[in-house]
Amino acid sequence: MMSLMAGENSRTTTPATTSTTARPATRRGAGQAARGWTTRLFVVGILLAALNLRPAITSLGALLEEVRVGLGMSGSVAGLLTSVPPLCFAVFGVMAPRLARRFGPAAVVCAGMVAITAGLLIRPYAGGTAGFLAGSALALMGIAVSNVLMPVIVKRWFPDRVGSMTGLYSMALAAGTSIAAAVTVPMTDALGGNWRTGLAVWAALAAAAVLPWVPLVRDRDQAAPTGGTRARAEQEPAALRITRSRTAWALAVFFGLQATAAYVTMGWMAQIFRDAGVPASTAGLLLAVTMVMGVPLAFVIPRVATRLPHQGPIVVALGVCGLAGYAGLYLAPAAGAWAWAVLLGVSNCAFPLALTMVGMRSRTGAGVAQLSAFAQSTGYLISIPGPLLVGVLYQSSGGWGVPILLMVVLMVPQMAVGWLAGRNRTVEDEAAPTG
């Protein structure tokens, strides 16, 4: 990051007299134009990729009852299905930094978009629960590596705009999430009522996201700003002992607990409303309302967070909204459904806040890559039991009271570790390099 800033400063402060001929000036102008085009392509690629990081999950949440009946799943198996996303994110996300070093971040994200496209096409027609899970895992593998590498790309290409670019990325992610939740049921009805078609159609959006990344794959070093070369890559600082950082652990646990809440919401909230007597189409809209709250807030929260020395107060405010939303679901799920959807939508904005803190808790691009992989992989590993446990508790208790109480209990440590993760310090200060 410092080399990028230095490079930019040198370009902007070099006197015009150093260019003695028109040819160097022409070359410099062509280089700046090419870099501007590449930067714009990165912005388009980031936004399209973000749009595809949740439809695979929320489209399934909207049709979970139809999928469960169509494949003959029990409540426990359906709970396992809602646990597949964090499992894949934990397993495959940890591979992302190594793959990025080998092939370049742009190539890995491009491959991730291809995997999402293929997985969304395969899973509805693979036949049986095992095939459905395998197709879902393929799509989620692409989502996992892209999840980890987006903060890295933002840090490298936009080091002076981490808050605004993270906000745009998070806003696009929230938009994709909410659009899939809102339109999957009516779109399925319009396409003949077949849930398989309703799920497979989202592969078209993923295919569109492949296109802007293809030109960026040509040069694996193009992911580094200011034309970073392999020689510069070899000068990267030694890897941090990330597990020695208390901040890294706090951020990982915070990430895991907010992911638990998010995937329980995406996987089960529509079913909670349907069981309370809300029509399926309305339940899908309520889930969409929850997701769409992240569109404006995902842009605002990162920008506010980067201006604060401590992000703990934002963590607590979001947690209080979550507690209020769960209380409403427990006491009057149908009567106040729209209010509970809004409150839980605000609470789920802990995700863009966590992404922002990943960028703020490290000073270097290499540190962000390590912290992002550690926090997301460990966090998603922590979140795996949550959706599965909710399904088991729902089936064993015969209602949603016990699962909702579980979510209330988990919100308290989420606020505590989020407060610790929001302190103004970096992992480089806490974790000495291994070499």
Side-chain angles (χ1 to χ4, degrees), residues 105-117 138 141-142 145-146 210 213 217:
V108 177
V109 173
C110 184
M113 295 300 109
V114 173
I116 295 171
T117 305
L138 178 61
M141 177 177 66
V145 295
S146 302
V210 176
W213 292 99
V217 175

Side-chain angles (χ1 to χ4, degrees), residues 28-42:
R28 184 164 57 249
Q32 291 174 347
R35 175 169 172 77
W37 178 85
T38 303
T39 301
R40 288 191 290 272
L41 198 59
F42 263 110

Side-chain angles (χ1 to χ4, degrees), residues 107-150:
V108 177
V109 173
C110 184
M113 295 300 109
V114 173
I116 295 171
T117 305
L120 291 179
L121 282 174
I122 291 171
R123 74 174 182 178
Y125 305 107
T129 301
F132 191 91
L133 288 172
S136 296
L138 178 61
L140 293 166
M141 177 177 66
I143 296 173
V145 295
S146 302
N147 272 338
V148 171
L149 293 180
M150 284 300 156

Side-chain angles (χ1 to χ4, degrees), residues 33-49 100 102-111 113 149-150 153-154 156-158 165 208-225 227-228:
R35 175 169 172 77
W37 178 85
T38 303
T39 301
R40 288 191 290 272
L41 198 59
F42 263 110
V43 172
V44 173
I46 288 170
L47 294 179
L48 280 176
R102 176 67 179 85
F103 302 104
V108 177
V109 173
C110 184
M113 295 300 109
L149 293 180
M150 284 300 156
I153 290 173
V154 168
R156 289 185 178 182
W157 273 93
F158 309 97
M165 284 304 302
V210 176
L211 301 178
W213 292 99
V214 172
L216 300 172
V217 175
R218 296 173 184 172
D219 183 0
R220 56 158 292 183
D221 296 317
Q222 198 171 29

